[in-house]
Amino acid sequence: MKTVASHQTENLAGTIRVPGDKSISHRSLMFGAMAAGQTKVTGLLEGEDVLCTAAAMQSLGAQVERQDDGTWVIQGRGVGGFSEPTGVLDMGNSGTAARLLMGVLATQSFTTFMTGDASLCSRPMERVMKPLRLIGVNFVSRENGRMPIAIQGTDSPMPISYELPVASAQVKSAVLLAGLNAPGKTTVIEPNPSRDHTEKMLQHFGAEVEVEETDKGGRVITLTGQPELVARDVVVPTDPSSAAFPVVAALITPGSKVTVEAVGMNPLRTGLFTTLKEMGGKITEVNTRIEAGEEVADLVVEYSELTGVTVPASRAPSMIDEYPVLAVAASFAKGTTHMEGLEELRVKESDRLAVVVESLKACGVDVEEGEDFMIVKADGQPALGGGEIKSRLDHRIAMSFIVFGLASQKPVTIDDASPIDTSFPGFIDLMNGLGAKIS
Ligand code: S3P
């Protein structure tokens, strides 16, 4: 347990760079391990979640090494070329690592055992097992599709066409990764587009992936199976979901001006920045460019008087991990912020809807919780604060309420900030370097 307290601060100032994108980091290791030849990855997030993926790739027979300059070098095994791990794969806290790997393992002709921490072992895996069973995989799990699980891969996979019942990039990716080793075409239909890093990286590694927009705003993604994946270097952009914390901190802390450099601006990830701008947030994108196939910009963020807004449910997939920190911003805005379409928050690292509401209440915020919505009412003055927050193995809860305490009247304490290392090692030092008072 690592208890921290966050105290009222003014004038956050400076230029920072946040760590590499978690979603792209996981994928770069998995794709590198499935490609023929040597893949070099720069800018990899060296957080606990991604290190679990690196360890899993090694257990499956891929060579994964970190060089002194921070470059990661992977000698791939080819699609379907993994060997049976001797032990149980421990995916730690990471739903992305577990679910994407289930897709990878679906077509390896051996059985893999997989587990994770208490948070991961309480998260639903049926959403991934359901389509993978159609491909031919057998699973044994705890009740209600909870981990630990055993994955019995198939050596005669069937290509499928699958319409996602929930907007989930993890489920989409698991199906596409399984489809890599199936003959013919695997299709995923998503009613509301989710992050497309898997599609982009599959193309980067030489697979044939077609993406069509539907009339109703959805997407149809078609992968041609059994490609020869060819090793390619990957430059990982920084994580917009991590940039979210210093961005909101600068917006709500009086006198602040902070530049966050080289933030990944994939349009399917930037719903928070759109929303904060609608709230009156002074966020200026400068030096917009494309780096390694992903959009990137420097964000200049200044303290702003925010106003409450309604955030439509259709925006949820592009900011699904950002609602905890948006709820913090809303607690310092004038008026009512209505966030809709939040049902997926209940199955993240914690039940984020319940935990955010409980934590905001502990900090004196007027908040209402619905089955799939949250309403925050505030008067534009510094919120009270003073809450003792339980982070519940959820990095984004810990970071969100550290940010809250920087602007609230009374300090906020977090019972355990150690989960932050899953996605944002060095977060507290980086914030203190801007002038924050986090002890
Ligand atoms: C992720 C997808 C999202 C997101 C998670 C990372 C990914 O989950 O919450 O942090 O890398 O594919 P869902 O796909 O379950 O919504």
Side-chain angles (χ1 to χ4, degrees):
M1 294 286 254
K2 178 178 159 196
T3 307
V4 302
S6 168
H7 303 263
Q8 200 175 31
T9 309
E10 285 192 344
N11 307 327
L12 296 178
T15 299
I16 54 169
R17 194 176 276 242
V18 302
D21 190 278
K22 185 149 75 74
S23 294
I24 297 177
S25 294
H26 284 301
R27 287 163 171 80
S28 67
L29 293 171
M30 291 185 197
F31 282 85
M34 286 190 294
Q38 177 177 288
T39 290
K40 282 190 177 171
V41 183
T42 45
L44 188 89
L45 165 65
E46 294 178 346
E48 286 168 3
D49 274 13
V50 176
L51 298 180
C52 283
T53 295
M57 291 302 120
Q58 282 166 328
S59 304
L60 290 163
Q63 232 185 64
V64 181
E65 271 166 24
R66 182 188 193 277
Q67 293 181 334
D68 292 344
D69 65 355
T71 304
W72 286 70
V73 180
I74 307 145
Q75 307 291 345
R77 299 285 304 238
V79 175
F82 290 125
S83 41
E84 182 187 60
T86 48
V88 177
L89 301 185
D90 185 349
M91 306 323 295
N93 189 251
S94 180
T96 306
R99 295 194 177 116
L100 268 58
L101 203 49
M102 285 164 72
V104 172
L105 294 168
T107 61
Q108 313 289 323
S109 49
F110 51 77
T111 300
T112 313
F113 297 87
M114 194 189 273
T115 191
D117 71 4
S119 156
L120 186 54
C121 287
S122 69
R123 297 180 66 184
M125 294 294 147
E126 182 56 34
R127 53 180 54 200
V128 180
M129 293 195 278
K130 193 174 170 201
L132 295 184
R133 276 194 208 100
L134 301 174
I135 292 175
V137 189
N138 276 325
F139 293 97
V140 182
S141 73
R142 286 195 306 129
E143 217 171 327
N144 294 325
R146 291 333 198 229
M147 285 175 46
I149 53 169
I151 305 149
Q152 284 180 298
T154 169
D155 49 16
S156 48
M158 299 277 294
I160 60 166
S161 175
Y162 190 69
E163 178 158 355
L164 296 179
V166 283
S168 168
Q170 294 177 357
V171 179
K172 168 176 67 179
S173 302
V175 174
L176 292 173
L177 287 169
L180 272 178
N181 214 6
K185 293 191 191 283
T186 294
T187 302
V188 180
I189 300 143
E190 49 176 2
N192 195 359
S194 62
R195 66 191 69 194
D196 58 357
H197 305 304
T198 297
E199 297 90 304
K200 282 189 162 168
M201 210 180 280
L202 277 169
Q203 287 166 335
H204 183 58
F205 278 78
E208 205 183 303
V209 180
E210 279 167 39
V211 181
E212 273 172 62
E213 312 270 337
T214 68
D215 318 340
K216 292 181 190 143
R219 286 189 176 182
V220 180
I221 301 124
T222 307
L223 165 75
T224 305
Q226 300 179 326
E228 180 70 15
L229 288 190
V230 187
R232 291 267 188 259
D233 291 349
V234 179
V235 182
V236 180
T238 71
D239 199 326
S241 299
S242 296
F245 301 103
V247 165
V248 170
L251 288 175
I252 65 174
T253 306
S256 297
K257 183 168 182 186
V258 170
T259 301
V260 190
E261 285 182 338
V263 180
M265 297 294 280
N266 179 313
L268 292 166
R269 297 287 299 280
T270 48
L272 174 75
F273 303 136
T274 306
T275 305
L276 291 170
K277 284 185 199 165
E278 285 173 4
M279 294 172 82
K282 292 180 199 149
I283 303 175
T284 315
E285 286 164 35
V286 294
N287 201 8
T288 305
R289 62 235 186 235
I290 303 277
E291 280 182 6
E294 291 279 356
E295 289 160 50
V296 166
D298 302 336
L299 301 185
V300 183
V301 190
E302 288 173 73
Y303 169 74
S304 308
E305 288 178 7
L306 301 176
T307 315
V309 292
T310 293
V311 190
S314 58
R315 199 177 289 163
S318 69
M319 54 178 295
I320 194 66
D321 293 331
E322 281 66 78
Y323 285 98
V325 80
L326 175 63
V328 170
S331 305
F332 292 82
K334 190 171 186 177
T336 301
T337 300
H338 204 129
M339 293 161 254
E340 294 166 351
L342 306 188
E343 60 276 8
E344 278 295 297
L345 292 197
R346 298 214 178 264
V347 291
K348 294 295 175 188
E349 285 83 331
S350 64
D351 175 345
R352 281 191 180 149
L353 190 42
V355 174
V356 166
V357 168
E358 147 197 301
S359 306
L360 288 179
K361 283 185 177 160
C363 290
V365 178
D366 181 352
V367 54
E368 187 188 329
E369 174 184 358
E371 199 40 50
D372 65 350
F373 67 86
M374 172 167 48
I375 300 171
V376 175
K377 290 185 187 152
D379 60 5
Q381 298 301 312
L384 184 61
E388 292 176 9
I389 307 303
K390 291 192 175 67
S391 59
R392 298 178 193 278
L393 291 176
D394 190 335
H395 52 134
R396 298 198 202 280
I397 296 295
M399 287 187 276
S400 296
F401 283 89
I402 287 175
V403 168
F404 192 109
L406 297 179
S408 59
Q409 299 168 40
K410 295 184 187 173
V412 172
T413 56
I414 317 293
D415 68 338
D416 187 13
S418 56
I420 293 174
D421 289 342
T422 60
S423 70
F424 200 154
F427 170 72
I428 292 177
D429 288 344
L430 197 73
M431 294 304 295
N432 283 343
L434 293 173
K437 291 185 206 145
I438 308 164
S439 56

